[in-house]
Amino acid sequence: SIPMFPGPTRVTDEVSTVYTSHVTSPDVDPAFIGDYVGLQRRLATLLDAPEEKGYTVTIQSGEGMLGLWGALKSTTKPGDRVLCISNGLFGSGFAQMANGIGATSKTIEFPWEKTIQTEEDFQTIAETIQSFKPHLVTMVHCETPSGTLNPASTLQRVGEMVAQWGEQTLFMVDFVSGAGGAPLSVADMKIDLGLAASQKVFSCPPDLAIVTVSEKAWTRVESVKYVGYDALEPWKSAVEKKYFPYTHNWRAVRALSFSIQKLLDEGMANVFK
């Protein structure tokens, strides 16, 4: 039987076996850097967030919400305007999170049982961007509780709106439950902060949070200067400096890398079927 719940999903025996592999200290063993970079590259391929186009894939130790909070706090100051495009629980949740760190939020609420894709929908979004003048626009790819999937064409359309609005406005997308299971291109959709995690399509335990970061987003990170366990800033140069902000979960990095390679070997077109 297939259990019908939103996740975490089942971990295969193959992936579980990776967790029994022997590792030393990721703080001092150079082999960890190789495994971390290998996972970065696999994620960049799967999410279409290539380094040559200015994207960095960060992989933090913690459940997916760590990435959501870290990305928000690393790029948002008190008083900043955050526009939340919502057709579900997590879309509206972005507004609560933004308010919690002192930002001013505005939510465009669409029906939870429908995707965002009509011309009327896009007109509403465009007009609100023009009037609200946000520093950050947030959206959810797939709403886990309701299973509502906003199509790739919708994310690309909104990403283009945000990019055209201004050089300082960022586009943040939660694709935790959709990444790897439906078409997604960080580059084509002009996503500045893309949020993923290990426990959904990737079929690993909930122990790694992934954030794709654009060059524009790094500029904001450097301006905000947020410091905390979930901060993005240390990850920009972690590989180059061979210095990570804390002892990483090496076995989890290996397991996720293994799982993603299985998806890539199958071929994403076949996975999407």
Side-chain angles (χ1 to χ4, degrees), residues 187-210:
D188 289 348
M189 297 169 183
K190 296 179 172 54
I191 297 172
D192 296 299
L193 296 154
L195 314 173
S198 54
Q199 75 268 19
K200 301 293 185 178
V201 176
F202 302 146
S203 298
C204 287
D207 47 20
L208 293 177
I210 298 112

Side-chain angles (χ1 to χ4, degrees), residues 49-207:
E51 184 179 2
E52 56 268 24
K53 291 188 178 180
Y55 294 97
T56 306
V57 179
T58 69
I59 306 146
Q60 297 171 273
S61 183
E63 196 271 340
M65 285 301 297
L66 178 96
L68 271 69
W69 274 113
L72 188 63
K73 289 188 285 186
S74 294
T75 58
T76 307
K77 297 178 180 179
D80 281 357
R81 293 178 297 279
V82 178
L83 176 62
C84 305
I85 301 169
S86 172
N87 62 333
L89 179 67
F90 284 98
S92 300
F94 267 126
Q96 298 173 0
M97 295 166 69
N99 292 339
I101 61 174
T104 300
S105 71
K106 185 178 185 65
T107 304
I108 307 176
E109 287 278 6
F110 293 100
W112 285 21
E113 73 279 6
K114 295 181 179 179
T115 58
I116 301 168
Q117 57 182 338
T118 69
E119 286 303 316
E120 184 179 356
D121 294 340
F122 293 130
Q123 183 65 28
T124 297
I125 294 169
E127 290 175 354
T128 307
I129 290 175
Q130 290 284 338
S131 61
F132 187 60
K133 300 178 175 58
H135 298 89
L136 176 69
V137 177
T138 70
M139 194 170 178
V140 176
H141 178 217
C142 179
E143 281 285 355
T144 311
S146 59
T148 306
L149 177 69
N150 289 310
S153 58
T154 293
L155 294 178
Q156 185 166 348
R157 183 91 173 260
V158 175
E160 290 170 352
M161 287 184 196
V162 175
Q164 291 170 4
W165 164 247
E167 295 182 0
Q168 304 302 317
T169 303
L170 302 180
F171 185 36
M172 180 187 294
V173 177
D174 171 354
F175 45 64
V176 168
S177 65
L184 186 73
S185 168
V186 168
D188 289 348
M189 297 169 183
K190 296 179 172 54
I191 297 172
D192 296 299
L193 296 154
L195 314 173
S198 54
Q199 75 268 19
K200 301 293 185 178
V201 176
F202 302 146
S203 298
C204 287
D207 47 20

Side-chain angles (χ1 to χ4, degrees), residues 18 33 53 65 86 114 211 239 247-248 256:
V18 179
I33 300 291
K53 291 188 178 180
M65 285 301 297
S86 172
K114 295 181 179 179
V211 182
V239 170
T247 300
H248 216 307
L256 181 56

Side-chain angles (χ1 to χ4, degrees), residues 11-22 205 251 254-255 258:
V11 179
T12 66
D13 291 341
E14 288 181 303
V15 172
S16 295
T17 299
V18 179
Y19 278 87
T20 67
S21 63
H22 174 70
R251 291 182 178 88
R254 284 186 172 179
F258 175 85

